[in-house]
Amino acid sequence: MILSSQADLKRTGITEPICRDNHKYIFGRVGIMLHGKPSFCTKFAVIVKHGRGQVFKTLHWLVLSLETQKNIVGVIVAENERRVSRHLRHCAFEKKIAMVPASWIIKSLHIGMLLPQTQDKHIPSPTVNVPEFPISIDWSEEI
């Protein structure tokens, strides 16, 4: 009788084990909506899926996956952030979904872990209080 060294793993067919708990994938439990040209979306979808992430075509399905907790993190990756509509930005802001450039995926791959999403554009800038000076009539005559 010949025993396999991987006898304790469950198998789907001949060669692929189901249990992969010892591996950590970069985009595991991350839902990503890609926004850009079809060639951009196709290329980055392959990369994200290879890292065990989920790719969504619409914001609606991304939000549903976050609400049902199939995904922990939701991100909108834009090819060109200037071409993203105000409506999409507003909806993402309401649902607290980060909007990041495509370089975020590339940098995450180079580092080997998921980078934090920065939302500097959504944070309102602090208002500056200008002290009030008493205006004298003499100043207006000098001008």
Side-chain angles (χ1 to χ4, degrees):
M1 183 166 150
I2 300 173
L3 296 175
S4 170
S5 62
Q6 297 180 349
D8 57 338
L9 291 177
K10 296 179 183 176
R11 296 193 174 266
T12 62
I14 298 173
T15 59
E16 189 175 335
I18 292 175
C19 300
R20 296 182 191 221
D21 294 315
N22 57 351
H23 293 93
K24 291 194 177 190
Y25 294 100
I26 294 175
F27 300 113
R29 307 233 14 218
V30 176
I32 295 178
M33 182 189 138
L34 297 171
H35 184 273
K37 295 179 182 175
S39 61
F40 165 80
C41 294
T42 304
K43 290 174 186 175
F44 276 88
V46 170
I47 293 169
V48 171
K49 287 178 184 177
H50 186 70
R52 292 287 194 244
Q54 270 192 306
V55 178
F56 297 96
K57 291 185 180 182
T58 63
L59 183 63
H60 173 73
W61 290 108
L62 176 60
V63 170
L64 285 178
S65 75
L66 292 171
E67 288 175 354
T68 59
Q69 297 184 355
K70 289 183 180 178
N71 291 314
I72 298 172
V73 179
V75 177
I76 299 173
V77 177
E79 179 180 18
N80 187 348
E81 286 187 272
R82 287 182 250 149
R83 291 190 175 189
V84 177
S85 67
R86 284 185 283 172
H87 180 60
L88 180 60
R89 284 183 192 272
H90 181 71
C91 292
F93 179 71
E94 282 182 347
K95 297 294 182 179
K96 297 179 182 172
I97 297 174
M99 188 165 279
V100 296
S103 61
W104 178 79
I105 290 179
I106 297 167
K107 289 177 183 176
S108 294
L109 289 172
H110 281 289
I111 292 176
M113 59 185 287
L114 196 64
L115 290 175
Q117 305 90 20
T118 57
Q119 291 189 352
D120 296 335
K121 295 180 181 179
H122 295 302
I123 298 172
S125 59
T127 57
V128 178
N129 294 330
V130 180
E132 293 187 26
F133 294 108
I135 300 173
S136 70
I137 301 174
D138 297 335
W139 285 7
S140 62
E141 291 176 3
E142 291 176 6
I143 298 177

